[in-house]
Amino acid sequence: MSHDKLECLSEHRCFDGVQRYYRHDSRKIGLPMRFSVFLPPQAEGGRVPVLFFLAGLTCTEETFMIKAGAQRYAARHGLMLVAPDTSPRGAGVPGEDDDWDFGTGAGFYLDATQAPWRDHYRMESYITEELFSLVTTELPGDPDRVGISGHSMGGHGALVLAQRHRDRFRSVSALAPIAAPTRVPWGEKAFSGYLGSDRQDWAEHDASLLMASSQNPFPNGILVDQGLADGFLAEQLHPEAFQAACAQAGQPLVLRSHPGYDHGYYFIATFIEDHMAFHSERLDAGGGA
């Protein structure tokens, strides 16, 4: 597969690896897209396992790389980190910049089916096809050793894309994910706008509903961390729904609750080392999930 040229916008030495920011013309999105990559020092010697990290509402391809402190642990484990943007930019859709939780910066990692969003808001296809291909061909990612994680809206994205694309992702974790979007305001707003009014269509993008209809899709387990001082926990996140779905599916889950921690990147930075180790262990094991 041929790709449009990757333009490296900046490059920074970091823990003996390299932090890069890229721009390219996306065929799936139909617009220029940006993403960031941390190449660990091990990438100089060949292909390395990959961890996609999907950021939350209002974030960009920079947020995780700047705030989480993950590169130190990625270098130790030999993990390539990939952080896409959270939506198309400059799609020209009326109203796309009106709300912080819908439109720009709030793509929800799905392919919109409703006009006018469907022409450019195609984040699921972008990540699982185009960006996946780029980082495993143009960059030294190993296509057989790819995991996915994310925070908040991105935690939703990680848990959903991992289940919808089992051929792509061998490990999955999340921090403060929107775990049951069909029953919370953020999800109802996004899904009605991007997917229309049919809740059957919504169910295909709800991590808890997908899991409840599965049977142990990730035998090596799933890791979820949640802060108990998170202001969004009660209304928007519902990790207990995902926990119940995993129990129903026979899916091993470690759901850790942390008193005093809120929804932000201080929480993420505290626990990201555990997520790096979790994915490294599963991606270096060899064989299937």
Side-chain angles (χ1 to χ4, degrees), residues 31-221:
L31 292 165
M33 289 293 289
R34 296 183 184 223
F35 66 96
S36 57
V37 173
F38 173 71
L39 293 171
Q42 294 87 339
E44 295 177 10
R47 297 206 169 271
V48 292
V50 181
L51 179 63
F52 280 81
F53 191 91
L54 309 183
L57 292 163
T58 75
C59 294
T60 71
E61 74 284 353
E62 291 185 311
T63 314
F64 173 73
M65 295 299 191
I66 291 173
K67 291 186 173 184
Q71 292 93 335
R72 176 193 306 269
Y73 311 114
R76 184 181 304 163
H77 291 293
L79 280 173
M80 179 196 296
L81 300 178
V82 178
D85 202 348
T86 54
S87 77
R89 303 276 166 176
V93 177
E96 69 179 346
D97 296 322
D98 289 355
D99 298 313
W100 69 276
D101 55 357
F102 182 72
T104 302
F108 271 82
Y109 304 106
L110 50 75
D111 288 356
T113 60
Q114 301 300 298
W117 307 97
R118 63 186 175 209
D119 290 343
H120 298 296
Y121 279 70
R122 299 176 50 78
M123 291 300 293
E124 178 173 5
S125 292
Y126 172 69
I127 290 166
T128 62
E129 297 177 35
E130 188 170 18
L131 189 55
F132 186 100
S133 180
L134 275 174
V135 301
T136 57
T137 56
E138 303 297 306
L139 296 170
D142 182 345
D144 296 320
R145 292 187 293 163
V146 182
I148 190 165
S149 185
H151 167 240
S152 193
M153 175 184 71
H156 142 76
L159 295 176
V160 169
L161 296 186
Q163 293 185 74
R164 286 171 58 84
H165 301 274
R166 288 291 317 286
D167 60 325
R168 288 285 195 246
F169 302 110
R170 280 189 35 204
S171 58
V172 57
S173 73
L175 297 112
I178 305 172
T182 58
R183 62 168 87 171
V184 303
W186 278 341
E188 290 177 338
K189 180 175 182 175
F191 288 3
S192 59
Y194 295 138
L195 301 174
S197 59
D198 187 345
R199 285 181 171 261
Q200 287 299 113
D201 295 334
W202 298 11
E204 297 300 313
H205 302 276
D206 183 306
S208 297
L209 294 177
L210 288 171
M211 183 59 72
S213 62
S214 300
Q215 190 58 48
N216 188 16
F218 290 90
N220 290 328

